[in-house]
């Protein structure tokens, strides 16, 4: 069973939310489980998915099959698997790949920790690949971890933005309806296969605007843009418990909120236990701004990097860390601190291997601005020359931070930018 894409094959706007939007996801999952017959006391509907992934990507015009083309250095098919894995009521996901790409697919599953995935060898055509996947689900083989489902979702490996509610419509339609002549005439070959070989109920279901297929090279850039937009919607400003750091950190937080009103900006202290910060990491925030006041070392930034490295946050998406250093350039010219500050290159190169993108940002911070003055700056007009310079530096810093987070340019890691 598969959903039919609507008339437009390109996205009108960024598609469904990340799994990070947990409240909405839990509510949707609850309703889906109910509709799919998984309420307590009811027989759960057995659902599986088959992904034909044996194509060579001829229309893409690149040597790598499109399902394995990288987006943010991660294969496209991994994003599709993640979208299906989020649906807890899909019990098994069968991927049909060619024999020559079998080991590549196994390494993707292992590296990105995908679950509930089984592999079968693809056929010479898409029809055959789907058939091989269906056959693996239909047969009761010894030592097989697959069980025969009541509904099978056929989903292209290169449609990474499928929504859970669309999958619900597909499952519900397959459960309730038979296949009409209209469906067979205007649907896809999957409908005919399911009806002919599996005696399974099938129905053509209208898809959503973001259920588009990566077909051409330009589609890779569109998909990357959507993914970047999604993982850039939350920023955590991290600071230690020292009063100066807290004050200037909260001021930066306020400026970020003012300049980036479409982004959720929070702050957290980098204390020894770090429980609240660990929870933010667990909640899948992929952007961090580490505040360092009157210091050119990276002690606080290193603490944050260690926490991120110990988590599994970086497996699926690149995490951005901007190490912000507030220095009084009048008292201490940047040239005197450059030796320490240039260590960021070493740190950036090291953590890049763990999918963390580290950048540096210098902001002029007149030491004459005491914490009590900073509190007033948040709610009062900027008056003195130093106040105005700090305000402008903070605004420029916010723009730079937003750009680094949104673009995730690996070519700029380890660089020191000046606001």
């Amino acid at each position: 069973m598969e959903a039919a894409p609507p008339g437009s094959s390109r996205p009108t706007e960024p598609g469904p939310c990340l799994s990070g939007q947990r409240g909405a996801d839990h509510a949707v999952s609850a309703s889906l489980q109910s509709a799919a017959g998984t309420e307590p006391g009811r027989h759960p509907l057995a659902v599986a998915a088959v992904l034909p992934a044996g194509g060579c990507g001829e229309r893409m015009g690149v040597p790598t099959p499109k399902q394995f083309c990288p987006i943010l250095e991660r294969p496209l098919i991994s994003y599709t698997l993640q979208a299906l894995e989020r649906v807890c009521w899909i019990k098994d996901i069968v991927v049909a790949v060619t024999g020559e790409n079998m080991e590549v697919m196994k390494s993707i599953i292992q590296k990105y920790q995908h679950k509930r995935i089984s592999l079968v060898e693809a056929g010479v055509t898409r029809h055959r690949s789907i058939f091989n996947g269906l056959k693996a689900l239909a047969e009761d083989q010894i030592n097989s971890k697959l069980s025969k489902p009541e509904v099978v979702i056929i989903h292209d490996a290169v449609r990474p933005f499928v929504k859970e509610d669309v999958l619900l419509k597909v499952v519900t339609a397959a459960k309730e309806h038979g296949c009409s002549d209209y469906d067979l005439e205007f649907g896809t070959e999957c409908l005919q296969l399911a009806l002919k070989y599996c005696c399974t109920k099938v129905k053509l279901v209208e898809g959503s605007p973001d259920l588009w297929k990566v077909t051409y090279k330009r589609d890779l850039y569109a998909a990357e843009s959507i993914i970047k937009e999604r993982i850039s919607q939350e920023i955590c400003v991290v600071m230690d418990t020292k009063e100066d750091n807290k004050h200037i950190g909260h001021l930066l937080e306020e400026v970020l909120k003012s300049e980036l009103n479409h982004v959720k900006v929070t702050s957290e202290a980098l204390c020894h236990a770090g429980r609240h910060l660990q929870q933010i990491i667990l909640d899948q925030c992929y952007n961090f701004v580490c505040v360092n006041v009157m210091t050119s070392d990276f002690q606080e930034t290193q603490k944050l990097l260690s926490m991120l490295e110990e988590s599994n946050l970086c497996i699926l998406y690149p995490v951005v860390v901007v190490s912000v250093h507030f220095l009084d350039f009048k008292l201490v010219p940047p040239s005197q601190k450059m030796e320490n500050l240039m260590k960021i290159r070493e740190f950036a190169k090291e953590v890049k291997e763990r999918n963390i993108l580290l950048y540096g940002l210098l902001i002029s911070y007149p030491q004459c601005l005491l914490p009590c003055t900073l509190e007033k700056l948040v709610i009062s007009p900027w008056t003195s020359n130093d106040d105005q310079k700090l305000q402008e530096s903070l605004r420029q810093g916010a723009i730079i931070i937003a750009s680094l987070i949104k673009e995730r340019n690996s070519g700029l890691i380890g660089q020191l930018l000046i606001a």
Side-chain angles (χ1 to χ4, degrees), residues 41-151:
R42 295 181 60 183
H43 172 66
L45 188 65
V47 180
V50 171
L51 273 66
C56 62
E58 183 178 349
R59 285 177 291 179
M60 180 73 73
V62 294
T64 303
K66 58 189 174 184
Q67 61 270 27
F68 300 119
C69 284
I71 298 179
L72 295 179
E73 301 186 24
R74 176 179 159 200
L76 171 60
I77 193 172
S78 177
Y79 292 96
T80 307
L81 292 177
Q82 181 191 8
L84 294 176
E85 284 177 317
R86 288 179 51 214
V87 184
C88 60
W89 42 266
I90 295 180
K91 185 175 181 181
D92 296 306
I93 302 171
V94 179
V95 182
V97 295
T98 60
E100 62 184 11
N101 288 320
M102 191 67 71
E103 292 303 317
V104 173
M105 193 66 231
K106 288 180 180 178
S107 66
I108 291 172
I109 293 172
Q110 181 179 9
K111 180 176 181 179
Y112 299 103
Q113 300 183 9
H114 291 299
K115 309 296 182 184
R116 313 197 308 271
I117 311 297
S118 298
L119 301 180
V120 298
E121 189 161 348
V124 294
T125 65
R126 187 172 186 271
H127 284 75
R128 280 290 173 182
S129 294
I130 294 171
F131 176 72
N132 290 349
L134 294 173
K135 187 169 64 173
L137 288 167
E139 295 176 352
D140 294 325
Q141 301 178 9
I142 299 176
N143 299 326
S144 174
K145 61 180 180 180
L146 299 174
S147 57
K148 188 174 182 179
E150 297 172 72
V151 174

Side-chain angles (χ1 to χ4, degrees), residues 140-295:
D140 294 325
Q141 301 178 9
I142 299 176
N143 299 326
S144 174
K145 61 180 180 180
L146 299 174
S147 57
K148 188 174 182 179
E150 297 172 72
V151 174
V152 178
I153 300 171
I154 309 298
H155 185 73
D156 289 318
V158 290
R159 296 188 193 270
F161 302 123
V162 59
K163 286 184 177 180
E164 191 171 359
D165 60 345
V166 171
L167 296 172
L168 169 65
K169 292 178 183 178
V170 170
V171 171
T172 303
K175 179 182 178 183
E176 297 178 354
H177 300 281
C179 181
S180 67
D181 293 337
Y182 175 89
D183 293 328
L184 291 178
E185 184 175 354
F186 296 100
T188 69
E189 73 277 11
C190 301
L191 300 173
Q192 182 69 58
L193 283 170
L195 185 65
K196 182 175 181 179
Y197 294 104
C198 303
C199 298
T200 302
K201 295 179 180 180
V202 287
K203 181 70 177 178
L204 183 64
V205 176
E206 185 71 14
S208 58
D210 44 39
L211 192 60
W212 55 284
K213 183 179 180 181
V214 175
T215 303
Y216 302 101
K217 194 171 183 179
R218 62 177 179 270
D219 299 333
L220 289 172
Y221 301 117
E224 179 177 299
S225 178
I226 290 175
I227 294 168
K228 285 180 177 180
E229 183 71 22
R230 292 180 180 183
I231 60 178
S232 301
Q233 295 306 304
E234 182 176 357
I235 301 173
C236 179
V237 180
V238 181
M239 61 201 85
D240 67 19
T241 55
K242 297 178 182 177
E243 287 302 313
D244 285 356
N245 281 22
K246 287 175 63 177
H247 283 293
I248 194 65
H250 286 307
L251 182 57
L252 178 59
E253 178 187 0
E254 292 301 319
V255 175
L256 283 169
K257 287 179 179 178
S258 175
E259 296 294 320
L260 311 175
N261 50 26
H262 63 289
V263 176
K264 178 182 177 183
V265 181
T266 59
S267 63
E268 194 57 60
L270 188 61
C271 57
H272 178 69
R275 293 178 182 176
H276 295 294
L277 183 56
Q278 288 175 350
Q279 187 58 50
I280 290 175
I281 294 173
L282 289 174
D283 288 344
Q284 298 179 330
C285 174
Y286 293 95
N287 312 288
F288 297 87
V289 176
C290 191
V291 175
N292 303 272
V293 180
M294 293 303 173
T295 176

